Amino acid sequence: ENLKSLGISKINRNMIESIPGNNTFHNRLFKLASVFGNHCPLFSDGSAVIQYLIPFVNCFPKYQLFTFEVTLSFIINFTQPMWSHYPQPPSSFLTTLAKEFSRINGLGEWMREKEISFVKVIWPLLTSICWEIMIEETWLKMMDFLICYIDKPAVFCLFVCNLVADFNEPIRRLKNAKEVYSFFKRKQAVRIDNDIKSTFSSMKSSPFLAELGFPEFTQLLSGHYQTLE
């Protein structure tokens, strides 16, 4: 309530209204983006946080406090190294993640040979929490898995790597880079159980966990919400 009382931050309403959804959805998204803008200067214009808010506002439309807290907790715990060079993607983090991706199967090497950018594939999935590619039921199942391992913050980016790698066969059938990028911007038949199993394997075997630079799990403090370090 204290953050809401600070009013509207520098949120671009037109940017929000360009997102698919009705007026009620846009109003909820606008209000929550404003709360984030008041909470942390990094979120002041809304553009950095809106993509993270979209799936939570869609799934929990009537619970503003819960949506704020769960989105903030997700950002702080699962994405912190991703903000190191904001508004640019963090090159060192993504270079390390590309090494992990290359361990999973041969798709990473194939993408390099075809001059398909790993960053252009993985970054939109990371910053939208895979919402564009999953139906709601699958997305909620992913979130259940992630929440169970919130004390292992690298689990989300490892999951996304395994998610992309699991599309090895259909991706190789595409004609060019443009088709590959478009593939990950629409709903697909995600094999969530297989991706979770593969993520467990990565969590046990990855030599890059420390290099990814995730801090330890941070629990939100009652009455005082943390910001990104």
Side-chain angles (χ1 to χ4, degrees):
E1 290 299 326
N2 289 336
L3 291 170
K4 287 174 66 176
S5 69
L6 295 175
I8 303 301
S9 58
K10 301 175 183 177
I11 306 297
N12 187 331
R13 179 78 191 201
N14 290 333
M15 176 175 59
I16 288 178
E17 291 182 350
S18 68
I19 298 168
N22 58 29
N23 191 54
T24 300
F25 170 75
H26 290 149
N27 286 336
R28 287 170 176 157
L29 190 59
F30 183 67
K31 290 176 182 177
L32 279 164
S34 293
V35 171
F36 268 93
N38 290 328
H39 172 61
C40 178
L42 195 63
F43 305 137
S44 61
D45 68 351
S47 59
V49 75
I50 286 172
Q51 293 302 314
Y52 291 101
L53 279 168
I54 288 172
F56 292 110
V57 173
N58 270 290
C59 293
F60 312 107
K62 297 181 180 180
Y63 304 99
Q64 288 194 26
L65 178 59
F66 172 80
T67 300
F68 171 76
E69 290 184 340
V70 74
T71 307
L72 179 60
S73 181
F74 186 95
I75 290 172
I76 288 175
N77 286 296
F78 288 129
T79 75
Q80 195 154 150
M82 294 163 50
W83 299 89
S84 60
H85 291 79
Y86 179 80
Q88 300 301 319
S91 56
S92 59
F93 170 80
L94 290 170
T95 298
T96 303
L97 200 59
K99 295 177 187 176
E100 174 60 33
F101 179 66
S102 295
R103 293 178 62 249
I104 300 172
N105 57 25
L107 184 58
E109 182 178 355
W110 179 85
M111 287 170 58
R112 285 192 296 273
E113 291 174 355
K114 299 295 183 180
E115 298 184 345
I116 297 169
S117 168
F118 171 75
V119 173
K120 288 184 178 181
V121 169
I122 206 81
W123 188 244
L125 293 171
L126 290 170
T127 54
S128 68
I129 324 181
C130 303
W131 180 252
E132 289 186 333
I133 199 173
M134 293 183 182
I135 62 172
E136 183 175 324
E137 180 182 357
T138 305
W139 188 86
L140 289 171
K141 191 168 186 177
M142 176 194 72
M143 289 304 301
D144 283 344
F145 164 65
L146 295 177
I147 290 169
C148 288
Y149 293 92
I150 198 169
D151 61 331
K152 303 182 186 302
V155 65
F156 172 57
C157 66
L158 295 180
F159 173 86
V160 177
C161 283
N162 281 279
L163 169 71
V164 173
D166 198 30
F167 287 109
N168 186 14
E169 292 185 10
I171 289 300
R172 288 173 183 263
R173 291 196 292 267
L174 299 178
K175 296 178 181 179
N176 52 48
K178 184 178 180 180
E179 287 191 0
V180 173
Y181 304 145
S182 296
F183 179 91
F184 290 103
K185 292 184 181 299
R186 59 182 184 270
K187 305 298 183 186
Q188 300 293 347
V190 174
R191 301 194 303 171
I192 187 69
D193 293 331
N194 189 68
D195 297 335
I196 288 173
K197 183 179 179 180
S198 299
T199 302
F200 275 124
S201 178
S202 292
M203 289 168 62
K204 292 178 180 179
S205 64
S206 175
F208 303 114
L209 295 182
E211 193 176 339
L212 287 169
F214 283 92
E216 293 184 359
F217 166 67
T218 299
Q219 185 172 355
L220 293 186
L221 300 177
S222 178
H224 177 72
Y225 297 120
Q226 299 91 320
T227 59
L228 288 173
E229 296 179 357

